[in-house]
């Protein structure tokens, strides 16, 4: 419980900081399409930071659930793979990194399905 709340809060903090960096530090330094790519990474990081906070709270209020625990870890992996690859792509323009991004997206999808399963089972 506590771990996912901490991971969620750290990622929310990072999403705000990286969003500000993108808006103020990258504007005019990268092409507009890459700035949009950066913004997509920030947006998905924040959504899943909130998801991690929700998972942390749920783990404190329902019986231990492997579905919720896996959901939390997959959201964390998704943030690293999806948002992380978009950040690195923006800064390096290495287009091969685009192949990693969908793995993060699949991690997000599976995480949300596991959260649904846990909600159906325990709430």
């Amino acid at each position: 419980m506590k771990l996912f709340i901490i991971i969620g809060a750290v990622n929310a903090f990072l999403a705000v900081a990286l969003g500000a960096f993108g808006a103020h530090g990258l504007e005019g330094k990268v092409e507009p399409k890459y700035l949009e790519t950066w913004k997509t990474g920030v947006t998905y990081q924040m959504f899943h930071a909130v998801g991690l906070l929700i998972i942390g709270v749920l783990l404190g209020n329902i019986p231990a659930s492997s579905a919720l625990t896996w959901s939390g870890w997959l959201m964390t992996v998704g943030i690293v793979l999806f948002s992380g690859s978009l950040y690195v792509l923006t800064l390096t323009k290495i287009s091969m990194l685009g192949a990693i991004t969908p793995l993060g997206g699949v991690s997000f999808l599976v995480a949300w399905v596991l959260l649904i399963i846990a909600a159906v089972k325990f709430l």
Side-chain angles (χ1 to χ4, degrees), residues 2 9 16 22 32-34 54 58 60-61 65 68 72 77 87 98-99 104 123:
K2 180 179 176 180
V16 172
K33 77 173 189 172
Y34 286 113
I54 291 167
L58 287 173
N61 291 301
S65 164
L68 275 179
V77 167
Y87 299 145
L123 298 179

Side-chain angles (χ1 to χ4, degrees), residues 20-32 35 39:
F21 174 73
H24 303 291
L26 293 178
E27 191 172 34
K29 293 184 175 82
V30 298
E31 298 170 42
L35 200 53
K39 288 178 186 177

Side-chain angles (χ1 to χ4, degrees), residues 6-114:
I6 291 169
I7 293 170
V10 166
N11 273 287
F13 171 87
L14 289 172
V16 172
L18 290 167
F21 174 73
H24 303 291
L26 293 178
E27 191 172 34
K29 293 184 175 82
V30 298
E31 298 170 42
K33 77 173 189 172
Y34 286 113
L35 200 53
E36 283 304 311
T37 299
W38 186 274
K39 288 178 186 177
T40 299
V42 168
T43 300
Y44 275 76
Q45 183 171 0
M46 183 57 84
F47 285 149
H48 291 89
V50 172
L52 285 163
L53 293 170
I54 291 167
I55 290 167
V57 170
L58 287 173
L59 281 169
N61 291 301
I62 63 173
S65 164
S66 61
L68 275 179
T69 301
W70 274 105
S71 180
W73 288 120
L74 285 169
M75 282 194 192
T76 303
V77 167
I79 290 169
V80 171
L81 294 178
F82 186 90
S83 295
S85 68
L86 294 180
Y87 299 145
V88 175
L89 172 64
T90 298
L91 296 174
T92 66
K93 298 178 181 67
I94 298 173
S95 61
M96 286 178 35
L97 291 169
I100 296 171
T101 309
L103 298 174
V106 170
S107 295
F108 288 152
L109 292 169
V110 174
W112 287 110
V113 168
L114 290 172

